[in-house]
């Protein structure tokens, strides 16, 4: 068999691949090769002090969902390690820590005001998903004006853009 397989590696670190070949006579050979994925070096906006506007989120069941249009869901990371923002209906805050490994972070369980909003229809569902996702974040990546927050599986679960109005 001659062929190629493409795989898009987005998380920095080392990945080892093993190529194995065998024939009908029982012959077998293999070779390992390691690929090192470097962190993204494209300049981006600073995490701290930028108002980030939610554009999409992972629903926890395998689908990426576009943020509700006209519902500002924001995140502002302050220099004093406090994350503040709007969940769309309620305001929230949470502590956060940037870890020694570049791009790594933790976010505490947010506390939010207790308003109930009914319009648009799914505003409270979106807010609950976003706020409950924040403590699962273990890393972030900024490319140009886009912020991606990732969980411990390396999956992007929240997408933000700097200061823009959501779609």
């Amino acid at each position: 068999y001659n062929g190629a397989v493409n795989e898009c590696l987005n998380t920095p670190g080392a990945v080892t691949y093993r190529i194995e070949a065998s024939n009908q006579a029982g012959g077998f050979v293999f070779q390992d090769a390691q690929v090192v994925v470097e962190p993204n070096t494209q300049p981006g906006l600073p995490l701290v002090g930028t108002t980030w506007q939610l554009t999409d989120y992972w629903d926890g069941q395998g689908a990426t969902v576009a943020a509700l249009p006209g519902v500002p869901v924001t995140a502002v990371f302050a220099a004093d390690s406090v994350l503040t923002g709007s969940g769309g209906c309620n305001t929230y805050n949470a502590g956060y820590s940037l870890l020694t490994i570049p791009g790594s972070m933790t976010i505490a369980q947010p506390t939010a005001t207790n308003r109930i909003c009914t319009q648009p229809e799914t505003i409270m569902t979106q807010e609950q998903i976003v706020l409950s996702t924040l403590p699962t974040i273990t890393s972030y990546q900024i490319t140009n004006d886009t912020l991606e927050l990732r969980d411990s599986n390396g999956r992007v679960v929240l997408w933000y853009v700097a200061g823009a109005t959501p779609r």
Side-chain angles (χ1 to χ4, degrees):
Y1 170 78
N2 289 327
V5 175
N6 292 323
E7 183 173 12
C8 184
L9 302 172
N10 293 317
T11 305
V15 177
T16 301
Y17 290 94
R18 174 170 280 196
I19 299 171
E20 299 178 350
S22 61
N23 62 24
Q24 293 177 343
F28 176 82
V29 295
F30 70 90
Q31 183 165 350
D32 291 339
Q34 189 174 63
V35 175
V36 177
V37 179
E38 298 294 329
N40 184 349
T41 57
Q42 288 184 309
L45 294 171
L47 175 69
V48 174
T50 300
T51 298
W52 298 102
Q53 187 85 39
L54 185 74
T55 59
D56 300 276
Y57 61 94
W58 186 67
D59 70 358
Q61 301 183 20
T64 300
V65 179
L68 292 169
V71 177
V73 178
T74 59
V76 179
F77 295 85
D80 62 358
S81 298
V82 175
L83 167 62
T84 59
S86 169
C89 178
N90 292 283
T91 58
Y92 70 90
N93 65 63
Y96 78 94
S97 296
L98 298 179
L99 306 178
T100 55
I101 299 170
S104 296
M105 73 164 33
T106 60
I107 299 175
Q109 181 67 45
T111 57
T113 55
N114 289 317
R115 292 181 49 212
I116 302 294
C117 297
T118 58
Q119 295 298 319
E121 188 175 315
T122 58
I123 188 171
M124 297 308 292
T125 300
Q126 174 180 278
E127 181 172 276
Q128 186 275 326
I129 291 170
V130 170
L131 295 182
S132 66
T133 298
L134 289 172
T136 71
I137 302 303
T138 60
S139 65
Y140 71 96
Q141 181 175 336
I142 300 171
T143 305
N144 300 322
D145 67 347
T146 302
L147 169 65
E148 296 177 344
L149 298 181
R150 298 175 185 272
D151 67 11
S152 61
N153 295 317
R155 175 180 40 236
V156 180
V157 291
L158 297 170
W159 289 262
Y160 292 86
V161 67
T165 302
R167 297 182 257 156

